Amino acid sequence: MEDPNIESEAYQFIEHGILTVENGKVKSLTTFEAFQTSHPDATFEDYSGKLIMPGFVDTHIHYPQTEMIAAHGEELLEWLNTYTFPTEIKFKDKNHASEVADFFLKQLLKNGTTTALVFGTVHPQSVDAFFEKAKQFNLRMICGKVMMDRNAPDELLDTAKSSYEDSKKLIEKWHKKERLLYAVTPRFAITSSPEQLQEAGRLLKEFPDVYLHTHLSENKAEVEFTKALFPESNGYLDVYQQANLLQKRAVFAHAIHLEEDEWEQLKQHDCSLAFCPTSNLFLGSGLFNLQKAEELNIRVGVGTDVGAGTSFSILQTLNEAYKVTQLRKAYAKNPSDIKPLSALKSFYLATLGGAKALHLDHAIGNFETGKEADFIVIDWKATDLLKLRIENSFTLEEKLFALQILGDDRVIEETFIMGNPVKL
Ligand code: GUN
Ligand code: FE
């Protein structure tokens, strides 16, 4: 593409390309003409007119909340108490957890998401159920048992000690088994005692390559409650910092109401942020400052945050992400300083950007030789309206933008895991 407005670093587009896969890994990506010259007799699957791209990466989602998506009418703390906690109590039952994990993973795959960073519940068996299913599909997934020892119903509470022991057992059982990885997962500052957060820090020290996954500064009432619970801390992020949770593989969801020094601290520790636009709009939490994260070169991925998020579709998440950047402009002191999110940047965030936020760009995120062949076939003419819009678009960027605004699971024609099409 020769459009001068395109951020050329962020993408590679081959109009008539061919992708070859060997033993589940990308072998080559080249033009069809070049491939035919060197392999005149080779047979291949023909996806002419379709778009093949790397599988989407969802950097923040809760599998136990699948069944309570679209629960009406509250801000974060009321929503948690009214809908979320009663739903999560059911995951004490491993059979229930397995059924929901199966449904959840199929939803991800139908929507073209091949890797996700996932919350379980407080119950260790919820994580066993999740990883067992993810293993059956041979997926690259990250999950963890929620650590929470206060400010929730008794049935959902562990203790600092038991959360350490249960998490440790799960790490030993699952971390780096096949394509699976573990995330130490304190829910958020409000539901952990200082002692429990210290135990989370101890786990990170003992297992230096596991992830830290939690929520940060999503909602104003949450920030205020956190400050009241931790009066000796110098703000929300400092609560995590005092437990040594800020590290390279730390992923913080939301990060909306941050102070200036908190942005700097996140940058200093090379932490990642999950931008969850459908959730942030649904719960009325606020507008993430993507441009600021970019200016500071902080790693960012997109997250659906189901069940506060309203769609499993990363395309629909990018649709809302665009609108968040538009709204930021409406409320900015200097609107001309705010750039709305571009289509190329959007698809970058959903693929390689997400992979970088999860430190998985050595394995997934694009079609470099040797990477794991998780990819999707998009039929961008799958709906009448999108077809009409694509046919009236001229540049690649225009077409991708239409796909991001109008597309959803209907356009995901096939999802491939390690080179094999998934049967759903
Ligand atoms: N903060 C703490 N727990 C949750 C949760 O389950 N969802 C969201 N969106 N925010 C949270
Ligand atoms: Fe969340």
Tab-separated table of all heavy atoms in Angstrom, residues 89-123:
chain	number	residue	atom	x	y	z
A	89	ILE	N	-19.448	-17.559	42.838
A	89	ILE	CA	-19.588	-18.583	43.891
A	89	ILE	C	-19.847	-19.958	43.262
A	89	ILE	O	-19.380	-20.993	43.759
A	89	ILE	CB	-20.708	-18.187	44.878
A	89	ILE	CG1	-20.235	-17.015	45.758
A	89	ILE	CG2	-21.113	-19.367	45.766
A	89	ILE	CD1	-21.325	-16.392	46.616
A	90	LYS	N	-20.525	-19.958	42.121
A	90	LYS	CA	-20.878	-21.244	41.478
A	90	LYS	C	-19.660	-22.045	41.012
A	90	LYS	O	-19.773	-23.232	40.714
A	90	LYS	CB	-21.749	-20.980	40.248
A	90	LYS	CG	-23.090	-20.358	40.531
A	90	LYS	CD	-23.943	-20.537	39.276
A	90	LYS	CE	-24.837	-19.375	39.007
A	90	LYS	NZ	-25.396	-19.431	37.656
A	91	PHE	N	-18.500	-21.394	40.938
A	91	PHE	CA	-17.310	-22.087	40.403
A	91	PHE	C	-16.595	-22.950	41.423
A	91	PHE	O	-15.552	-23.543	41.137
A	91	PHE	CB	-16.375	-21.069	39.721
A	91	PHE	CG	-16.953	-20.607	38.415
A	91	PHE	CD1	-18.060	-19.763	38.387
A	91	PHE	CD2	-16.448	-21.081	37.216
A	91	PHE	CE1	-18.643	-19.381	37.178
A	91	PHE	CE2	-17.026	-20.707	36.016
A	91	PHE	CZ	-18.125	-19.847	35.999
A	92	LYS	N	-17.208	-23.064	42.591
A	92	LYS	CA	-16.756	-24.053	43.572
A	92	LYS	C	-16.953	-25.447	42.967
A	92	LYS	O	-16.196	-26.377	43.235
A	92	LYS	CB	-17.621	-23.881	44.830
A	92	LYS	CG	-17.263	-24.759	45.995
A	92	LYS	CD	-18.183	-24.359	47.174
A	92	LYS	CE	-17.808	-24.955	48.500
A	92	LYS	NZ	-17.637	-26.364	48.544
A	93	ASP	N	-17.995	-25.545	42.153
A	93	ASP	CA	-18.336	-26.809	41.494
A	93	ASP	C	-17.513	-26.958	40.213
A	93	ASP	O	-17.722	-26.220	39.242
A	93	ASP	CB	-19.848	-26.792	41.179
A	93	ASP	CG	-20.284	-27.974	40.341
A	93	ASP	OD1	-19.453	-28.865	40.047
A	93	ASP	OD2	-21.471	-27.990	39.958
A	94	LYS	N	-16.597	-27.902	40.225
A	94	LYS	CA	-15.691	-28.031	39.075
A	94	LYS	C	-16.433	-28.370	37.781
A	94	LYS	O	-16.033	-27.931	36.704
A	94	LYS	CB	-14.616	-29.081	39.372
A	94	LYS	CG	-13.768	-29.399	38.167
A	94	LYS	CD	-12.299	-29.420	38.435
A	94	LYS	CE	-11.546	-29.622	37.136
A	94	LYS	NZ	-10.725	-30.813	37.133
A	95	ASN	N	-17.524	-29.143	37.887
A	95	ASN	CA	-18.272	-29.466	36.659
A	95	ASN	C	-18.839	-28.215	36.013
A	95	ASN	O	-18.818	-28.060	34.794
A	95	ASN	CB	-19.427	-30.441	36.962
A	95	ASN	CG	-18.882	-31.818	37.231
A	95	ASN	OD1	-17.812	-32.179	36.753
A	95	ASN	ND2	-19.606	-32.574	38.039
A	96	HIS	N	-19.351	-27.341	36.854
A	96	HIS	CA	-19.880	-26.071	36.335
A	96	HIS	C	-18.741	-25.290	35.671
A	96	HIS	O	-18.883	-24.759	34.552
A	96	HIS	CB	-20.499	-25.255	37.471
A	96	HIS	CG	-21.003	-23.927	37.033
A	96	HIS	ND1	-22.126	-23.775	36.254
A	96	HIS	CD2	-20.516	-22.663	37.232
A	96	HIS	CE1	-22.318	-22.485	35.990
A	96	HIS	NE2	-21.359	-21.792	36.578
A	97	ALA	N	-17.600	-25.239	36.354
A	97	ALA	CA	-16.445	-24.506	35.817
A	97	ALA	C	-16.033	-25.070	34.449
A	97	ALA	O	-15.756	-24.309	33.519
A	97	ALA	CB	-15.280	-24.576	36.807
A	98	SER	N	-16.030	-26.389	34.330
A	98	SER	CA	-15.618	-27.013	33.055
A	98	SER	C	-16.600	-26.665	31.945
A	98	SER	O	-16.186	-26.386	30.814
A	98	SER	CB	-15.556	-28.538	33.193
A	98	SER	OG	-14.586	-28.873	34.135
A	99	GLU	N	-17.885	-26.689	32.279
A	99	GLU	CA	-18.893	-26.355	31.254
A	99	GLU	C	-18.733	-24.920	30.775
A	99	GLU	O	-18.792	-24.642	29.578
A	99	GLU	CB	-20.312	-26.496	31.842
A	99	GLU	CG	-20.879	-27.879	31.702
A	99	GLU	CD	-22.186	-28.036	32.478
A	99	GLU	OE1	-22.956	-27.047	32.563
A	99	GLU	OE2	-22.410	-29.135	33.003
A	100	VAL	N	-18.527	-24.010	31.721
A	100	VAL	CA	-18.399	-22.599	31.340
A	100	VAL	C	-17.083	-22.379	30.576
A	100	VAL	O	-17.046	-21.635	29.590
A	100	VAL	CB	-18.495	-21.673	32.575
A	100	VAL	CG1	-18.296	-20.213	32.175
A	100	VAL	CG2	-19.842	-21.842	33.260
A	101	ALA	N	-16.015	-23.044	31.014
A	101	ALA	CA	-14.722	-22.885	30.318
A	101	ALA	C	-14.842	-23.335	28.868
A	101	ALA	O	-14.314	-22.683	27.952
A	101	ALA	CB	-13.634	-23.683	31.047
A	102	ASP	N	-15.548	-24.421	28.639
A	102	ASP	CA	-15.732	-24.937	27.280
A	102	ASP	C	-16.505	-23.920	26.427
A	102	ASP	O	-16.110	-23.586	25.307
A	102	ASP	CB	-16.485	-26.274	27.358
A	102	ASP	CG	-16.569	-26.957	26.017
A	102	ASP	OD1	-15.494	-27.363	25.513
A	102	ASP	OD2	-17.668	-27.057	25.454
A	103	PHE	N	-17.593	-23.425	26.973
A	103	PHE	CA	-18.409	-22.430	26.263
A	103	PHE	C	-17.578	-21.175	25.963
A	103	PHE	O	-17.587	-20.633	24.859
A	103	PHE	CB	-19.634	-22.075	27.118
A	103	PHE	CG	-20.583	-21.128	26.443
A	103	PHE	CD1	-21.676	-21.611	25.735
A	103	PHE	CD2	-20.390	-19.741	26.500
A	103	PHE	CE1	-22.562	-20.737	25.104
A	103	PHE	CE2	-21.272	-18.866	25.873
A	103	PHE	CZ	-22.357	-19.371	25.174
A	104	PHE	N	-16.852	-20.736	26.987
A	104	PHE	CA	-16.033	-19.516	26.887
A	104	PHE	C	-14.973	-19.646	25.792
A	104	PHE	O	-14.829	-18.765	24.939
A	104	PHE	CB	-15.377	-19.295	28.258
A	104	PHE	CG	-14.312	-18.230	28.299
A	104	PHE	CD1	-14.639	-16.909	28.563
A	104	PHE	CD2	-12.971	-18.562	28.114
A	104	PHE	CE1	-13.652	-15.933	28.621
A	104	PHE	CE2	-11.977	-17.585	28.176
A	104	PHE	CZ	-12.327	-16.268	28.428
A	105	LEU	N	-14.244	-20.754	25.802
A	105	LEU	CA	-13.168	-20.912	24.806
A	105	LEU	C	-13.738	-20.974	23.395
A	105	LEU	O	-13.146	-20.436	22.454
A	105	LEU	CB	-12.324	-22.150	25.124
A	105	LEU	CG	-11.448	-21.994	26.375
A	105	LEU	CD1	-10.828	-23.328	26.766
A	105	LEU	CD2	-10.349	-20.950	26.149
A	106	LYS	N	-14.888	-21.595	23.259
A	106	LYS	CA	-15.527	-21.629	21.932
A	106	LYS	C	-15.946	-20.223	21.491
A	106	LYS	O	-15.838	-19.878	20.319
A	106	LYS	CB	-16.722	-22.593	21.944
A	106	LYS	CG	-16.259	-24.052	21.983
A	106	LYS	CD	-17.422	-25.012	22.112
A	106	LYS	CE	-16.900	-26.452	22.113
A	106	LYS	NZ	-17.893	-27.381	22.681
A	107	GLN	N	-16.431	-19.421	22.435
A	107	GLN	CA	-16.759	-18.028	22.090
A	107	GLN	C	-15.508	-17.285	21.622
A	107	GLN	O	-15.548	-16.551	20.632
A	107	GLN	CB	-17.355	-17.295	23.301
A	107	GLN	CG	-18.796	-17.639	23.581
A	107	GLN	CD	-19.727	-17.220	22.447
A	107	GLN	OE1	-19.707	-16.087	21.990
A	107	GLN	NE2	-20.522	-18.149	21.969
A	108	LEU	N	-14.411	-17.457	22.344
A	108	LEU	CA	-13.173	-16.782	21.934
A	108	LEU	C	-12.815	-17.187	20.507
A	108	LEU	O	-12.540	-16.340	19.652
A	108	LEU	CB	-12.004	-17.143	22.859
A	108	LEU	CG	-11.984	-16.574	24.272
A	108	LEU	CD1	-10.657	-16.933	24.948
A	108	LEU	CD2	-12.144	-15.056	24.293
A	109	LEU	N	-12.822	-18.488	20.260
A	109	LEU	CA	-12.380	-18.986	18.946
A	109	LEU	C	-13.324	-18.548	17.830
A	109	LEU	O	-12.884	-18.209	16.734
A	109	LEU	CB	-12.232	-20.509	18.990
A	109	LEU	CG	-11.105	-20.998	19.914
A	109	LEU	CD1	-11.229	-22.487	20.189
A	109	LEU	CD2	-9.729	-20.673	19.331
A	110	LYS	N	-14.618	-18.532	18.113
A	110	LYS	CA	-15.582	-18.055	17.103
A	110	LYS	C	-15.364	-16.593	16.775
A	110	LYS	O	-15.747	-16.121	15.716
A	110	LYS	CB	-17.023	-18.208	17.634
A	110	LYS	CG	-17.537	-19.618	17.549
A	110	LYS	CD	-18.973	-19.696	18.070
A	110	LYS	CE	-19.353	-21.153	18.215
A	110	LYS	NZ	-20.707	-21.373	18.654
A	111	ASN	N	-14.808	-15.870	17.726
A	111	ASN	CA	-14.539	-14.450	17.519
A	111	ASN	C	-13.117	-14.184	17.045
A	111	ASN	O	-12.693	-13.028	16.961
A	111	ASN	CB	-14.821	-13.670	18.813
A	111	ASN	CG	-16.308	-13.419	19.008
A	111	ASN	OD1	-16.856	-12.525	18.378
A	111	ASN	ND2	-16.962	-14.230	19.834
A	112	GLY	N	-12.355	-15.230	16.780
A	112	GLY	CA	-11.010	-15.057	16.245
A	112	GLY	C	-9.950	-14.761	17.281
A	112	GLY	O	-8.827	-14.391	16.946
A	113	THR	N	-10.290	-14.923	18.554
A	113	THR	CA	-9.298	-14.699	19.616
A	113	THR	C	-8.605	-16.020	19.919
A	113	THR	O	-9.264	-17.011	20.244
A	113	THR	CB	-9.974	-14.148	20.883
A	113	THR	OG1	-10.571	-12.900	20.554
A	113	THR	CG2	-8.969	-13.958	22.009
A	114	THR	N	-7.281	-16.022	19.807
A	114	THR	CA	-6.537	-17.270	19.985
A	114	THR	C	-5.678	-17.270	21.249
A	114	THR	O	-5.217	-18.330	21.671
A	114	THR	CB	-5.668	-17.545	18.740
A	114	THR	OG1	-4.918	-16.369	18.437
A	114	THR	CG2	-6.539	-17.908	17.536
A	115	THR	N	-5.457	-16.091	21.821
A	115	THR	CA	-4.722	-16.011	23.097
A	115	THR	C	-5.420	-15.008	23.998
A	115	THR	O	-5.867	-13.960	23.527
A	115	THR	CB	-3.256	-15.573	22.864
A	115	THR	OG1	-2.526	-16.659	22.296
A	115	THR	CG2	-2.572	-15.164	24.167
A	116	ALA	N	-5.505	-15.343	25.296
A	116	ALA	CA	-6.109	-14.400	26.241
A	116	ALA	C	-5.448	-14.521	27.609
A	116	ALA	O	-4.909	-15.577	27.961
A	116	ALA	CB	-7.609	-14.664	26.361
A	117	LEU	N	-5.494	-13.417	28.331
A	117	LEU	CA	-5.071	-13.379	29.735
A	117	LEU	C	-6.362	-13.364	30.554
A	117	LEU	O	-7.153	-12.423	30.459
A	117	LEU	CB	-4.234	-12.124	29.988
A	117	LEU	CG	-3.847	-11.829	31.436
A	117	LEU	CD1	-3.079	-12.980	32.065
A	117	LEU	CD2	-3.018	-10.548	31.509
A	118	VAL	N	-6.557	-14.427	31.360
A	118	VAL	CA	-7.897	-14.761	31.853
A	118	VAL	C	-7.943	-14.847	33.384
A	118	VAL	O	-7.085	-15.487	34.000
A	118	VAL	CB	-8.322	-16.136	31.259
A	118	VAL	CG1	-9.732	-16.517	31.686
A	118	VAL	CG2	-8.214	-16.135	29.736
A	119	PHE	N	-8.941	-14.230	33.975
A	119	PHE	CA	-9.226	-14.417	35.398
A	119	PHE	C	-10.011	-15.719	35.600
A	119	PHE	O	-10.971	-15.974	34.869
A	119	PHE	CB	-10.128	-13.290	35.909
A	119	PHE	CG	-9.429	-12.187	36.657
A	119	PHE	CD1	-8.534	-11.353	36.011
A	119	PHE	CD2	-9.689	-11.958	38.009
A	119	PHE	CE1	-7.908	-10.310	36.694
A	119	PHE	CE2	-9.066	-10.927	38.700
A	119	PHE	CZ	-8.174	-10.099	38.044
A	120	GLY	N	-9.621	-16.509	36.613
A	120	GLY	CA	-10.476	-17.590	37.096
A	120	GLY	C	-11.328	-17.037	38.229
A	120	GLY	O	-11.670	-15.842	38.249
A	121	THR	N	-11.704	-17.893	39.178
A	121	THR	CA	-12.299	-17.414	40.434
A	121	THR	C	-11.320	-17.757	41.558
A	121	THR	O	-10.222	-18.262	41.307
A	121	THR	CB	-13.656	-18.088	40.736
A	121	THR	OG1	-13.435	-19.492	40.900
A	121	THR	CG2	-14.664	-17.836	39.631
A	122	VAL	N	-11.765	-17.551	42.783
A	122	VAL	CA	-10.924	-17.843	43.940
A	122	VAL	C	-10.639	-19.350	44.067
A	122	VAL	O	-9.656	-19.764	44.682
A	122	VAL	CB	-11.612	-17.293	45.222
A	122	VAL	CG1	-12.838	-18.139	45.578
A	122	VAL	CG2	-10.642	-17.180	46.379
A	123	HIS	N	-11.489	-20.160	43.421
A	123	HIS	CA	-11.377	-21.615	43.573
A	123	HIS	C	-10.280	-22.184	42.676
A	123	HIS	O	-10.364	-22.032	41.445
A	123	HIS	CB	-12.709	-22.277	43.210
A	123	HIS	CG	-13.905	-21.557	43.778
A	123	HIS	ND1	-14.650	-20.636	43.077
A	123	HIS	CD2	-14.457	-21.617	45.016
A	123	HIS	CE1	-15.624	-20.164	43.836
A	123	HIS	NE2	-15.530	-20.739	45.022
